[in-house]
C-alpha cells in the first residue's frame, strides 16, 4: 500500500467552509504504510475514513447484493447495469449525476427493489465474516481512537449494512448512502444523496459545522473519488492498496 500526501488545497468555492480552528502542522508516520511504530500524533480532533478501498479491500456493495440474490446473479446484474447506464448516458438520460452514479442507481433498483428490510439486515450479518479488512488502515483508525479523537466513516456504501460491518470499531458516526423504505421494503431508490465525491465532501462539511469547531481533521480515502473530501482536511492522505502478486 502506498500513501500520497496531498498538497495544501486552495479554498473550495462550491462548498461551505467547515468550522475549523486554524490549521496546525500535523504529522503522520513517514512510511509507505500509515501503520507504523510511530503514533498518529497531533492535537485532538476528528479522523474521517472512506470505507471501500480504504478500510477494506474492494467494494462492499456487490458483496452485499451477492448475499441478497446470489453472487453469480449479482455479477450479471452489475454488468447489465453498466451496459444500461452507457446507453442512457449516450442519450443524456442517465439516472445519476454521473456515470458511476447511474450504474449504482440502476443496479440498486434492479437488485434490491421489493426486498424486505429484515432480509437486508440478515444479508448484512452474513457479510461480516467475508469482509477483507485493510489492516494498516485499521490500525490507523484504532490509533486515532487511542489518541482520543473522534472517528467518522464517510462512505458511498449503504446504511443498510454498514452498522453491522463497523460493529466493535468504536466509530463515532457514520455518513453513508441511505435507501428508501416503504411498508418495510426497499423501493430500490436512494433516500439520500449518493455519499461519494462532492456529495461526500458536502456531508463531511455539514458534519464538521454541526459538531465543531474541532482542533484538527485527518482524512483517508482513495483516488479520485475522495479528493473533494480530502481537500477539506488539515491532513489528507490518498490510500492505495497494492494487489498481492501470486508470482514468487
Amino acid at each position: 500500500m502506498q500513501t500520497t500526501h496531498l498538497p495544501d488545497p486552495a479554498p473550495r468555492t462550491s462548498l461551505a467552509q467547515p468550522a475549523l480552528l486554524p490549521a496546525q502542522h500535523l504529522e503522520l508516520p513517514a512510511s509507505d504504510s500509515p501503520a507504523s511504530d510511530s503514533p498518529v500524533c497531533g492535537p485532538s480532533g476528528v479522523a474521517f475514513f472512506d470505507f471501500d478501498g480504504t478500510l477494506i479491500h474492494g467494494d462492499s456493495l456487490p458483496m452485499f447484493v451477492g448475499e441478497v440474490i446470489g453472487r453469480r446473479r449479482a455479477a450479471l446484474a452489475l454488468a447489465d447495469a453498466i451496459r444500461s447506464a452507457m446507453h442512457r448516458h449516450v442519450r443524456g438520460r442517465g439516472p445519476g449525476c454521473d456515470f458511476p452514479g447511474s450504474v449504482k442507481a440502476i443496479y440498486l433498483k434492479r437488485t434490491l427493489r421489493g426486498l424486505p428490510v429484515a432480509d437486508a439486515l440478515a444479508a448484512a450479518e452474513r457479510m461480516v465474516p467475508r469482509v477483507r479488512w485493510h489492516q494498516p488502515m485499521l490500525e490507523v483508525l484504532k490509533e486515532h481512537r487511542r489518541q482520543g479523537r473522534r472517528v467518522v466513516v464517510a462512505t458511498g456504501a449503504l446504511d443498510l449494512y454498514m452498522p453491522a460491518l463497523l460493529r466493535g470499531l468504536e466509530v463515532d458516526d457514520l455518513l453513508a448512502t441511505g435507501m428508501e423504505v416503504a411498508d418495510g421494503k426497499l423501493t430500490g431508490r436512494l433516500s439520500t444523496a449518493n455519499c461519494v465525491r462532492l456529495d461526500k465532501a458536502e456531508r463531511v462539511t455539514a458534519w464538521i459545522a454541526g459538531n465543531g469547531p474541532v482542533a484538527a481533521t485527518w482524512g483517508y480515502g482513495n483516488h479520485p473519488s475522495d479528493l473533494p473530501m480530502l481537500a477539506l482536511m488539515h491532513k489528507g492522505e490518498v490510500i492505495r492498496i497494492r494487489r498481492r502478486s501470486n508470482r514468487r
Side-chain angles (χ1 to χ4, degrees):
M1 185 203 71
Q2 297 177 325
T3 60
T4 302
H5 295 273
L6 300 178
D8 294 333
R12 298 183 59 84
T13 57
S14 59
L15 297 172
Q17 291 301 305
L20 297 175
L21 295 180
Q24 304 177 44
H25 181 64
L26 308 176
E27 294 293 339
L28 287 173
S31 69
D32 289 337
S33 170
S36 73
D37 294 335
S38 302
V40 181
C41 55
S44 61
V46 186
F48 293 88
F49 290 83
D50 173 49
F51 188 70
D52 296 326
T54 299
L55 283 173
I56 69 167
H57 293 257
D59 190 343
S60 59
L61 181 57
M63 186 187 307
F64 172 69
V65 175
E67 291 294 341
V68 172
I69 66 173
R71 299 180 194 180
R72 184 173 183 276
R73 287 181 60 195
L76 292 174
L78 180 57
D80 189 59
I82 293 171
R83 286 193 294 269
S84 180
M86 290 178 65
H87 291 313
R88 295 189 191 190
H89 269 269
V90 167
R91 301 195 301 270
R93 298 173 56 188
C97 63
D98 54 19
F99 179 71
S102 291
V103 172
K104 186 173 185 175
I106 296 168
Y107 187 54
L108 293 175
K109 187 174 183 180
R110 292 182 178 178
T111 59
L112 300 184
R113 181 171 53 183
L115 178 71
V117 172
D119 291 351
L121 297 180
E125 293 297 332
R126 294 194 298 271
M127 284 179 68
V128 172
R130 292 187 55 206
V131 169
R132 292 177 57 219
W133 291 97
H134 182 210
Q135 290 300 323
M137 285 309 303
L138 202 56
E139 289 304 315
V140 170
L141 184 152
K142 292 177 180 178
E143 183 61 30
H144 279 293
R145 291 297 307 176
R146 286 191 286 268
Q147 295 286 335
R149 304 189 186 103
R150 287 175 287 179
V151 171
V152 177
V153 171
T155 175
L158 303 183
D159 61 2
L160 285 166
Y161 59 79
M162 283 302 301
L165 302 188
L166 295 177
R167 190 185 299 130
L169 285 184
E170 298 185 81
V171 171
D172 294 282
D173 211 346
L174 169 66
L175 308 178
T177 301
M179 290 292 293
E180 184 181 77
V181 176
D183 299 323
K185 295 182 179 181
L186 304 182
T187 67
R189 296 188 294 268
L190 300 184
S191 63
T192 69
N194 187 17
C195 191
V196 298
R197 297 176 284 281
L198 284 175
D199 284 320
K200 179 185 289 191
E202 289 170 357
R203 292 273 296 273
V204 167
T205 298
W207 191 96
I208 294 172
N211 294 273
V214 297
T217 52
W218 289 258
Y220 304 91
N222 48 48
H223 183 279
S225 63
D226 289 316
L227 294 183
M229 176 188 75
L230 298 179
L232 299 170
M233 302 290 110
H234 286 87
K235 188 74 169 184
E237 290 194 45
V238 173
I239 306 302
R240 293 186 176 90
I241 302 178
R242 291 179 179 175
R243 294 182 179 181
R244 294 181 179 179
S245 174
N246 293 325
R247 293 180 295 178
R248 296 181 180 179

